[in-house]
Amino acid sequence: DTAVSQTPKYLVTQMGNDKSIKCEQNLGHDTMYWYKQDSKKFLKIMFSYNNKELIINETVPNRFSPKSPDKAHLNLHINSLELGDSAVYFCASSPRYNEQFFGPGTRLTVL
Amino acid sequence: AQSVTQLGSHVSVSEGALVLLRCNYSSSVPPYLFWYVQYPNQGLQLLLKYTTGATLVKGINGFEAEFKKSETSFHLTKPSAHMSDAAEYFCAVSSRTGNQFYFGTGTSLTVIP
């Protein structure tokens, strides 16, 4: 069984569109994260949720909105996609401030 | 505030040679420390971590790291590089009490046959 899963794995879309990326973890962890990895492999944390509550919200355009329907899911919705949003987005979970378990990533390409 | 610095964005070693990837952290109190590996087109995988106790930590695939408080370092080593070790390596630090988790900028390891 996959511990942290993301869908879709690849996402190609036009500028201005709205898209969502889904993340699910079956590890029973309290905390989930979204990261953006750019073309230089730099990892930037975007959001963190603990038990469905937002605890980290870094400087991210408000076009990005996370939603956590329950402790096992943290979805990322992006409005009005821009070229600069092209990146790999990783979901992760952790048992409360400890090591993080990463999903396989979603490669977003905005044309 | 915490931060982590990885010296050398690219490291090349010959197959069979020692691997040394450097990581220094900045923290007012000893944090939790981690090394992750990312193979091409994959997510990050934990190699090893230091929380408390023995300062020499052994991880998967023959890697180990030593926490040196006096040097605020957590360098990653492997005695003999394999071709399969070619990947991106990230050092990370988290606070013991808060919810802060910071990654270094990564080091790309190339193994030369």
Side-chain angles (χ1 to χ4, degrees):
Chain A
D1 285 342
T2 303
V4 182
S5 60
Q6 295 179 228
T7 54
K9 188 168 175 64
Y10 299 96
L11 186 53
V12 181
T13 188
Q14 300 286 333
M15 275 176 54
N17 285 350
D18 303 338
K19 291 294 179 184
S20 291
I21 307 172
K22 295 185 177 181
C23 177
E24 177 181 3
Q25 55 98 0
N26 61 8
L27 299 167
H29 290 165
D30 290 333
T31 310
M32 295 184 73
Y33 308 81
W34 276 109
Y35 287 88
K36 178 180 180 180
Q37 186 175 47
D38 62 22
S39 58
K40 295 184 178 179
K41 303 290 187 183
F42 180 66
L43 272 168
K44 177 186 174 184
I45 190 167
M46 301 173 69
F47 302 102
S48 174
Y49 269 73
N50 183 260
N51 279 321
K52 298 185 352 180
E53 284 191 41
L54 181 66
I55 55 173
I56 293 177
N57 184 358
E58 295 294 321
T59 307
V60 175
N62 56 16
R63 299 181 293 103
F64 291 80
S65 54
K67 285 187 173 51
S68 183
D70 55 57
K71 202 172 78 166
H73 295 85
L74 180 61
N75 303 323
L76 183 65
H77 188 75
I78 316 170
N79 289 327
S80 304
L81 278 155
E82 301 178 356
L83 292 176
D85 298 332
S86 295
V88 181
Y89 292 83
F90 286 102
C91 177
S93 72
S94 72
R96 196 169 178 81
Y97 314 147
N98 210 316
E99 67 190 84
Q100 299 194 8
F101 294 77
F102 281 79
T106 296
R107 184 174 294 274
L108 171 65
T109 303
V110 182
L111 303 175
Chain B
Q2 297 176 334
S3 67
V4 58
T5 302
Q6 290 183 242
L7 294 176
S9 57
H10 293 89
V11 171
S12 294
V13 299
S14 297
E15 192 174 13
L18 171 72
V19 176
L20 171 60
L21 304 182
R22 299 179 186 273
C23 173
N24 288 86
Y25 68 90
S26 170
S27 177
S28 56
V29 295
Y32 293 144
L33 295 157
F34 308 85
W35 274 100
Y36 285 83
V37 61
Q38 184 181 25
Y39 298 106
N41 299 313
Q42 294 187 27
L44 278 74
Q45 178 184 1
L46 183 69
L47 272 178
L48 47 81
K49 67 177 179 180
Y50 170 78
T51 53
T52 58
T55 56
L56 182 61
V57 180
K58 295 188 184 299
I60 62 172
N61 301 338
F63 284 93
E64 61 183 37
E66 186 171 11
F67 169 59
K68 292 187 176 181
K69 183 179 177 181
S70 60
E71 298 177 8
T72 61
S73 68
F74 191 56
H75 301 331
L76 181 71
T77 61
K78 182 174 180 177
S80 176
H82 294 164
M83 296 298 296
S84 60
D85 294 328
E88 192 83 17
Y89 290 81
F90 293 92
C91 183
V93 58
S94 78
S95 63
R96 290 174 178 263
T97 57
N99 57 10
Q100 298 162 329
F101 202 99
Y102 299 98
F103 279 92
T105 51
T107 298
S108 177
L109 177 65
T110 300
V111 181
I112 304 166

